């Protein structure tokens, strides 16, 4: 388990770049992270005790589409990918503005809704589509047969995209447009065995590509092995959870009796840690009651899959492979993701605290010039021009038709 411990200490704190006090820059898998004040690394995400450093019970990995079952356990005639609805399709097409003969990159294929709409705009448009989820990749391979060489699926993470494109013969400055959809898909949320949804009991997994990386720790590994202070840090930073300390203490107490291995087991622990006033206070954007464990599940999912680091790497790669004046459209689903996209598009360093005074900004700029840190230099080279001034959100009709897309935020920019 030594390798797993080093993975926790070195890798997953990096995604906290969305936190105002933290700075990150792109890196290869072996490169260190550029930090100003890493909140998790400072606390050392060490295993709390040798006896807890054992892998807990795991469920099977992601299943092929034909093996998917409904939450009741019976085979479903409508697999999750058929129920998945792409978000803000009209807005995505408007800002990508596909034209005949152009080539695009969809960095999160999912169920293929956005990709199919892009391909439908002209008979000679081509699309490369990436997804880290092998189930989504299998769907993409099936879809590719319908488009006779116009569609090329790729399997991998954002951090692997550059090498995948080069291996496919794609040169830099190639794409006319790139789409990043950072949300989870129905293939993940609607399958209890994958452990993403707290409303459906299943193994506490949450890995998007666990069958590709079987040694990758699951959410169950995280909640059973990390010390209480580290758990609280994860919940506070990645889930923006106000009650992070209480929840972490409840998790630590519960796992001392029996390992936490299933989603509803964890949801019950979180619910029991909070006062009655907190239980019924949370509502989603549609003013519907939201489960108190929602932010805890979000935090664990982001941490396990290193989502914020992957997003930043994806933005860098998109800039590299877009043509000058090429368009990038980014869909995000929570404030941490949107903060990264906004700062990258505005060429604001991810370490910069918000609402600085003019004097503070001048001092910070002078300090960076003296230090000449490579993290800052690389960020300055990612030059964008925002297409729209303000972030876009789904209209009321779309929210009513597709409630899962209610928290979507769209930003678009041109590569300079």
């Amino acid at each position: 388990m030594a390798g797993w411990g080093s993975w926790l200490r070195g890798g997953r704190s990096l995604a906290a770049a969305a936190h105002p006090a933290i700075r990150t820059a792109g890196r290869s898998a072996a490169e260190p992270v550029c930090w100003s004040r890493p909140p998790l690394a400072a606390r050392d995400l060490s295993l709390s005790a040798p006896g807890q450093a054992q892998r807990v019970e795991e469920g099977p990995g992601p299943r092929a589409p034909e093996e998917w079952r409904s939450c009741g356990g019976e085979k479903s005639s409508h697999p999750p990918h058929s129920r998945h609805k792409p978000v803000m399709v009209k807005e995505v097409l408007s800002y990508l503005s596909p034209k005949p003969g152009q080539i695009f990159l969809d960095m999160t294929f999912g169920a293929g809704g956005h990709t199919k709409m892009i391909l439908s705009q002209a008979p000679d448009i081509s699309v490369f589509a990436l997804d880290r989820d092998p189930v989504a990749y299998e769907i993409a391979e099936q879809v590719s047969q319908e488009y006779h060489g116009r569609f090329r699926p790729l399997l991998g993470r954002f951090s692997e995209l550059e090498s995948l494109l080069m291996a496919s013969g794609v040169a830099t400055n190639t794409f006319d447009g790139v789409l990043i959809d950072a949300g989870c898909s129905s293939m993940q949320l609607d399958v209890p065995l994958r452990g993403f949804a707290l409303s459906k009991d299943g193994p506490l997994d949450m890995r998007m590509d666990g069958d590709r990386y079987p040694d990758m720790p699951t959410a169950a590994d995280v909640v059973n092995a990390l010390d209480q202070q580290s758990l609280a840090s994860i919940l506070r930073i990645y889930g923006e959870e106000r009650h992070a300390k209480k929840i972490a203490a409840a998790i630590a107490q519960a796992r001392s009796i029996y390992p936490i291995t299933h989603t509803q087991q964890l949801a019950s622990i979180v619910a029991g840690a909070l006062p009655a006033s907190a239980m019924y206070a949370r509502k989603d954007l549609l003013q519907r009651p939201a489960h108190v464990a929602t932010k805890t599940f979000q935090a664990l999912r982001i941490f396990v899959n290193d989502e914020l680091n992957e997003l930043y790497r994806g933005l860098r790669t998109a800039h590299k492979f877009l043509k000058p004046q090429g368009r990038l459209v980014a869909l995000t689903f929570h404030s941490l993701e949107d903060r990264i996209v906004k700062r990258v598009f505005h060429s604001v360093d991810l370490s910069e605290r918000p609402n600085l005074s003019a004097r503070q900004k001048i001092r910070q700029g002078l300090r960076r010039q003296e230090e000449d840190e490579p993290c800052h230099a690389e960020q300055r080279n990612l030059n964008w021009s925002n297409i729209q001034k303000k972030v876009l959100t789904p209209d009321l009709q779309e929210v009513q038709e597709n409630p899962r897309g209610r928290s979507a935020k769209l930003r678009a920019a041109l590569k300079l």
Side-chain angles (χ1 to χ4, degrees):
M1 299 303 297
W4 177 50
S6 63
W7 179 90
L8 286 170
R9 286 190 292 272
R12 291 304 175 256
S13 62
L14 146 66
H19 193 274
I22 299 169
R23 175 188 62 222
T24 185
R27 62 181 177 95
S28 66
E31 288 176 342
V33 187
C34 297
W35 293 101
S36 61
R37 188 159 58 95
L40 300 186
R43 293 169 172 81
D44 186 13
L45 295 185
S46 57
L47 302 179
S48 54
Q52 291 179 325
Q54 298 178 2
R55 203 165 185 80
V56 299
E57 175 188 354
E58 294 181 1
R63 293 189 173 191
E66 67 272 9
E67 295 177 310
W68 272 334
R69 298 174 181 271
S70 66
C71 54
E74 299 298 326
K75 286 187 177 180
S76 172
S77 59
H78 301 287
H81 66 274
S82 67
R83 300 193 296 271
H84 181 78
K85 295 182 180 179
V87 178
M88 301 182 71
V89 173
K90 291 184 295 184
E91 292 85 349
V92 167
L93 292 177
S94 173
Y95 284 108
L96 283 179
S97 187
K99 296 179 175 56
Q102 290 186 330
I103 181 169
F104 292 87
L105 171 64
D106 185 348
M107 293 179 62
T108 38
F109 177 80
H114 288 120
T115 292
K116 291 177 182 177
M117 291 302 298
I118 294 170
L119 287 166
S120 69
Q121 300 305 297
D124 55 349
I125 286 177
S126 299
V127 175
F128 283 74
L130 174 80
D131 207 292
R132 67 186 290 176
D133 190 332
V135 177
Y137 177 71
E138 181 179 334
I139 297 170
E141 285 189 312
Q142 297 171 4
V143 170
S144 68
Q145 299 174 11
E146 305 173 14
Y147 290 95
H148 309 293
R150 295 171 53 206
F151 173 55
R152 174 73 181 273
L154 301 170
L155 175 62
R157 303 175 177 182
F158 293 159
S159 55
E160 300 167 326
L161 177 58
E162 182 174 347
S163 59
L164 288 170
L165 290 173
M166 289 184 171
S168 300
V170 179
T172 57
N173 303 317
T174 290
F175 295 112
D176 296 282
V178 174
L179 170 65
I180 297 180
D181 180 348
C184 287
S185 67
S186 295
M187 288 89 71
Q188 295 157 350
L189 296 174
D190 290 343
V191 182
L193 283 172
R194 306 200 65 176
F196 284 92
L198 57 86
S199 61
K200 302 168 184 176
D201 196 32
L204 192 57
D205 193 323
M206 298 194 189
R207 297 172 298 174
M208 292 181 176
D209 48 4
D211 50 354
R212 293 184 64 219
Y213 299 97
D215 293 332
M216 176 182 175
T218 66
D221 294 324
V222 173
V223 298
N224 285 285
L226 291 190
D227 62 82
Q228 183 176 324
Q229 191 174 19
S230 298
L231 278 174
S233 295
I234 290 171
L235 300 182
R236 186 180 66 255
I237 294 170
Y238 300 97
E240 299 179 302
E241 173 58 71
R242 291 173 50 215
H243 304 284
K245 289 184 177 180
K246 290 181 180 180
I247 294 171
I251 290 172
Q253 182 179 9
R255 73 188 183 190
S256 67
I257 302 171
Y258 197 80
I260 303 169
T261 61
H262 280 70
T263 54
Q264 292 194 342
Q265 181 186 4
L266 176 60
S268 297
I269 293 168
V270 174
L274 303 182
S277 58
M279 288 281 293
Y280 301 102
R282 294 184 177 176
K283 298 183 184 298
D284 65 16
L285 295 179
L286 298 178
Q287 295 303 304
R288 302 178 303 182
H291 197 287
V292 291
T294 300
K295 292 185 177 182
T296 296
F297 274 62
Q298 171 187 303
L300 291 172
R301 192 201 77 222
I302 292 172
F303 183 81
V304 165
N305 294 288
D306 200 16
E307 292 180 28
L308 302 186
N309 270 324
E310 289 293 326
L311 175 60
Y312 184 77
R313 295 288 303 276
L315 292 169
R316 287 180 52 222
T317 303
H319 187 277
K320 186 172 184 176
F321 283 86
L322 271 172
K323 294 178 179 178
Q325 298 302 304
R327 295 167 173 251
L328 173 60
V329 175
L331 283 168
T332 58
F333 291 83
H334 56 74
S335 60
L336 302 178
E337 294 172 339
D338 181 61
R339 194 176 300 155
I340 291 175
V341 173
K342 179 180 179 180
R343 290 190 166 213
V344 168
F345 280 2
H346 288 274
S347 299
V348 176
D349 194 277
L350 297 181
S351 66
E352 183 176 302
R353 291 184 292 113
N355 303 321
L356 292 177
S357 67
R359 180 174 296 180
Q360 288 173 322
K361 289 182 179 180
I362 292 171
R363 288 176 178 174
Q364 184 169 270
L366 292 174
R367 184 173 64 253
R368 288 175 181 168
Q369 287 180 8
E370 293 174 358
E371 295 171 352
D372 194 26
E373 296 182 33
C375 292
H376 301 141
E378 185 172 21
Q379 174 113 8
R380 287 193 295 269
N381 291 332
L382 301 180
N383 294 320
W384 300 96
S385 173
N386 285 270
I387 297 176
Q388 97 278 13
K389 292 183 179 180
K390 295 185 178 180
V391 64
L392 297 181
T393 56
D395 59 34
L396 180 59
Q397 180 179 352
E398 180 169 1
V399 170
Q400 293 173 340
E401 294 175 354
N402 184 17
R404 279 186 175 170
R406 62 189 178 276
S407 58
K409 294 181 179 180
L410 183 149
R411 295 184 186 274
L414 295 173
K415 174 184 174 179
L416 297 180

